[in-house]
Amino acid sequence: MLEITDLSHSYGPPDRAHRALDQVSLRVADGELVSIVGPSGCGKSTLLRCAAGLLTPAAGTVRLDGAQVDRVPDGLAVVFQDYSRSLLPWLSVRDNVALPLRHTGQSRRARRDAAGAALATVGLPDTGDRYPWQLSGGMQQRVAIARALACDPRLLLMDEPFGSVDAQTREDLEDLVLAVRRERDMTILLVTHDIDESVYVGDRVVVLTPGPGRIRADLPVTLP
Ligand code: ADP
């Protein structure tokens, strides 16, 4: 489904370029949940941003269902690490979740229903009228996940989605991702620096080297 070939990226001016990713190639099959793990600064977010069409790589290609990704494709959603900067504080929880649906041409009623269903999926059925800042950190990240689910993506990209919550909430959210994946037919690419998490949620763990990121290992998780 997702095919990343020889992806390289550098930041900064050419004479002082900082290489973030070096010739990364990766294939993700339909329905797989792949964890990408590596130390801070190894290029995980850069890889995810290129896969999402948010960043044009210096070299290499990203293909989704065979089509080259050169902008954010349909059927793709991203959950960012920092919910406090990704949710809009002036919109209610429901309007935050429904926001990406504004461009789909659906009626207001249909968007509202889809937002309600997504909130129910993440275990927050009664929070639609509240504001993000009235919820705990873990609940806000659930809202961010609901927003990603509302447009029923085929491919969900998660960039250290549980990095900003406490340990117990993190475990709950890991289980939530596994439940959501069982319930909805989705392919998930999850970036994390937490090795336990990468094994717990992933079918496969792709290990990156310290920057510039290269693929060090690509390991199937055979544990029950
Ligand atoms: P990770 O997600 O693994 O922590 P990143 O992809 O965020 O790594 O960053 C990889 C490297 O690229 C780091 O050294 C980081 O400082 C650098 N970097 C990331 N974004 C930018 C940017 N917009 N401008 C300059 N350097 C950047």
Side-chain angles (χ1 to χ4, degrees):
M1 181 193 197
L2 179 69
E3 197 175 354
I4 296 172
T5 311
D6 290 335
L7 199 74
S8 297
H9 192 71
S10 301
Y11 292 102
D15 55 327
R16 281 183 289 118
H18 174 74
R19 207 161 179 75
L21 277 181
D22 193 26
Q23 297 221 301
V24 170
S25 295
L26 177 66
R27 281 161 174 255
V28 180
D30 204 0
E32 251 188 323
L33 199 167
V34 176
S35 304
I36 297 178
V37 71
S40 198
C42 76
K44 301 184 295 299
S45 298
T46 304
L47 176 60
L48 215 67
R49 281 168 192 274
C50 291
L54 290 167
L55 183 66
T56 305
T61 54
V62 177
R63 290 182 177 276
L64 187 59
D65 294 323
Q68 182 148 347
V69 171
D70 44 20
R71 60 185 180 87
V72 181
D74 289 336
L76 179 144
V78 183
V79 176
F80 296 98
Q81 173 176 357
D82 191 351
Y83 51 80
S84 64
R85 290 198 299 159
S86 117
L87 297 175
L88 306 180
W90 61 90
L91 291 182
S92 70
V93 164
R94 182 182 301 105
D95 287 346
N96 263 287
V97 173
L99 187 67
L101 302 174
R102 278 195 194 172
H103 304 286
T104 60
Q106 295 179 50
S107 69
R108 203 178 155 78
R109 179 66 187 265
R111 298 197 308 253
R112 208 182 148 90
D113 289 350
L119 282 167
T121 299
V122 300
L124 295 175
D126 302 318
T127 54
D129 293 326
R130 295 165 78 180
Y131 286 89
W133 40 269
Q134 293 177 311
L135 306 178
S136 71
M139 289 164 89
Q140 290 184 50
Q141 193 55 304
R142 281 174 192 261
V143 173
I145 294 170
R147 182 179 57 186
L149 297 179
C151 54
D152 215 7
R154 289 191 55 222
L155 178 61
L156 180 63
L157 304 179
M158 308 184 93
D159 191 359
E160 304 233 13
F162 318 132
S164 311
V165 297
D166 61 86
Q168 195 175 341
T169 304
R170 183 178 193 124
E171 291 183 2
D172 291 345
L173 290 176
E174 289 167 2
D175 284 335
L176 172 70
V177 168
L178 292 174
V180 161
R181 185 212 180 185
R182 274 194 298 274
E183 192 176 304
R184 299 178 179 221
D185 184 24
M186 258 188 314
T187 306
I188 303 179
L189 205 55
L190 179 130
V191 157
T192 178
H193 62 256
D194 185 305
I195 296 171
D196 289 358
E197 180 169 283
S198 73
V199 175
Y200 183 66
V201 299
D203 302 321
R204 232 171 93 201
V205 178
V206 173
V207 185
L208 294 184
T209 57
R214 297 188 191 94
I215 292 187
R216 167 162 285 173
D218 188 339
L219 307 162
V221 178
T222 52
L223 299 167

